[in-house]
Amino acid sequence: MASGSLWQPLRQSRVQLTNQLKQARNYSAPAQGSIPAAKKKYVPKSGTYPRGFKVSGINVGVKPGNTSKPDVAFVTSEQPCAAAAVFTKNKFQAAPVTFSRDLLRAKKNRGIQNVIVNSGCANAVTGKGGLEDAAKMAQEADKCVGNEGATIVMSTGVIGQRLPIDKITTNISNAHKALGSSHDHWLTCARAICTTDTFPKLISKTFSLPSSPSVEYRIAGMTKGAGMIHPNMATLLGIIATDAPISPDVLPSALKYAVDRSFNSITIDGDTSTNDTVALLANGAAGGQEISSTSSPDYEAFQTVLADFSAELAQLIVRDGEGATKFVTIRVVDSASEAAARKIASTIARSPLVKTALYGKDANWGRILCATGYSLISEPGEAINEVPEIVPEKTNVSFIPADGSTELKLLVNGEPEMVDEARAAEILEFEDLEILVRLGTGDKQATYWTCDYSHEYITINGDYRT
């Protein structure tokens, strides 16, 4: 035997090991679908769910290789609901987005009873056939509750592929049979909408309203998203249900207010998806006085509850960012306008140089300042704001430690501080971090939530389809 052939098996094993190491995903879910240890704390062990809603999640094998993970979710109310939804602004909008938006317009946000969702295939850029498939999903769900035109449709997964529609539609009745209202039902439903998520994202709360202080209202929500996340909105699905009595005339404004302060204030990678949808259903099953005016104390109270609740849901998406090791809050304060504060916070949040420095635990505040400085540069054709939004001599940048200890000042009124690198390293060891930018030009502010960029993000998205 030639000497070279003796080494051939060794070379092959080394190649195989190298390939395995390339594919290792340190922060994503293990192949068997178990939740990484660091993420288990975000999964609720119990919940208080809104009256009159039932949910399920079943496996139909949307992706041929998926034989166990639930991939079709069914959410239904025992009675028709007021409903509202916010959708992606991507020009290539997926079929379920077009279908659901048209349905809500035609129904004037009334009489919606179901949400049917599949993961594993986005049904995006699929032409007329894709729209027909979305309609078929809705029709099968409508049949289950005996109410025509009552179903919002959502899909998430790979773009540009047709759904295995027969596989889905023939199983929707099974999803309906599996409906229930227990915590396990809600958690399974939340798992069914996931794609590259490492854990199901589910929250439930109770609240009260000024006009009915003795009534316990409930709100529950699930969301998915880990990559292709950026306003407006992202590869992000969200379903929120409440048993509070809210008029369909005021529900859309409450949802928009909440989404602007939550799902439209997160970014993972700066990509806006084709499928983003956040839907809100209110069935009024808890009773009490209907919220019918945006000027009522009840509306104001509900709007605040919904915004805070949505922010919690949205933050779970960032915590599950593909390959993320850090959860980063970016606050821009003392701004001349809220619009400028949001633009600056957004720019910092999606800067690859900022995000990679955070992954490397490098207190490279110059990258934060650089992103601040270019964030408001006018594009050709844009109007130039005469108000000075950024004044270098008034700008301050700090790290706010997660343990509540004193902030670490990096830049004070445009002058660099002597940074204690050891202290900076301690702060950057925490999973959570806040970057605070004080502009000194006004009294407005904005907050964004983002994560770092790791080697893992490249691995996940480099082989997403394979």
Side-chain angles (χ1 to χ4, degrees), residues 140-402:
E140 289 301 317
D142 289 347
K143 290 177 186 176
C144 293
V145 297
N147 185 4
E148 186 178 349
T151 304
I152 291 171
V153 181
M154 301 183 190
S155 298
T156 182
V158 176
I159 295 170
Q161 296 179 2
R162 289 286 298 274
L163 289 170
I165 191 61
D166 291 340
K167 205 183 271 188
I168 295 172
T169 54
T170 56
N171 278 288
I172 286 177
S173 60
N174 292 328
H176 183 259
K177 291 173 185 174
L179 289 169
S181 55
S182 72
H183 173 67
D184 286 344
H185 282 94
W186 280 86
L187 199 58
T188 302
C189 188
R191 285 185 63 214
I193 69 175
C194 292
T195 50
T196 59
D197 306 63
T198 70
F199 66 93
K201 300 164 183 66
L202 174 68
I203 300 176
S204 62
K205 303 279 185 183
T206 62
F207 64 97
S208 61
L209 295 172
S211 68
S212 309
S214 62
V215 178
E216 179 191 78
Y217 293 107
R218 301 174 181 181
I219 186 169
M222 64 189 76
T223 189
K224 66 80 54 182
M228 204 181 282
I229 301 292
H230 187 67
N232 290 287
M233 290 178 320
T235 301
L236 176 162
L237 300 182
I239 304 166
I240 302 172
T242 181
D243 54 16
I246 308 162
S247 165
D249 296 325
V250 303
L251 201 63
S253 63
L255 181 60
K256 184 180 185 305
Y257 178 90
V259 166
D260 283 346
R261 289 153 181 79
S262 57
F263 296 105
N264 276 345
S265 292
I266 62 174
T267 185
I268 288 176
D269 49 20
D271 271 1
T272 297
S273 163
T274 54
N275 286 61
D276 315 341
T277 305
V278 173
L280 170 62
L281 277 67
N283 67 5
Q289 182 177 318
E290 184 182 56
I291 302 173
S292 58
S293 170
T294 57
S295 60
S296 71
D298 278 357
Y299 178 84
E300 184 177 346
F302 176 73
Q303 182 177 247
T304 300
V305 167
L306 182 62
D308 291 345
F309 182 82
S310 298
E312 283 190 58
L313 269 180
Q315 287 170 31
L316 289 178
I317 292 173
V318 176
R319 290 194 179 280
D320 200 24
E322 289 173 341
T325 69
K326 292 194 178 301
F327 175 84
V328 186
T329 300
I330 298 174
R331 280 204 305 135
V332 177
V333 302
D334 302 336
S335 173
S337 69
E338 183 180 346
R342 284 183 63 82
K343 185 71 180 292
I344 293 166
S346 170
T347 304
I348 297 169
R350 68 177 186 271
S351 164
L353 291 180
V354 171
K355 291 158 80 71
T356 50
L358 292 171
Y359 172 65
K361 302 174 184 177
D362 179 8
N364 194 340
W365 59 267
R367 294 181 176 183
I368 300 169
L369 197 67
C370 180
T372 301
Y374 70 68
S375 61
L376 300 181
I377 295 175
S378 298
E379 297 293 332
E382 283 186 343
I384 299 175
N385 190 348
E386 298 298 332
V387 178
E389 305 278 13
I390 299 173
V391 179
E393 295 77 17
K394 294 182 178 181
T395 303
N396 296 260
V397 178
S398 297
F399 284 159
I400 308 297

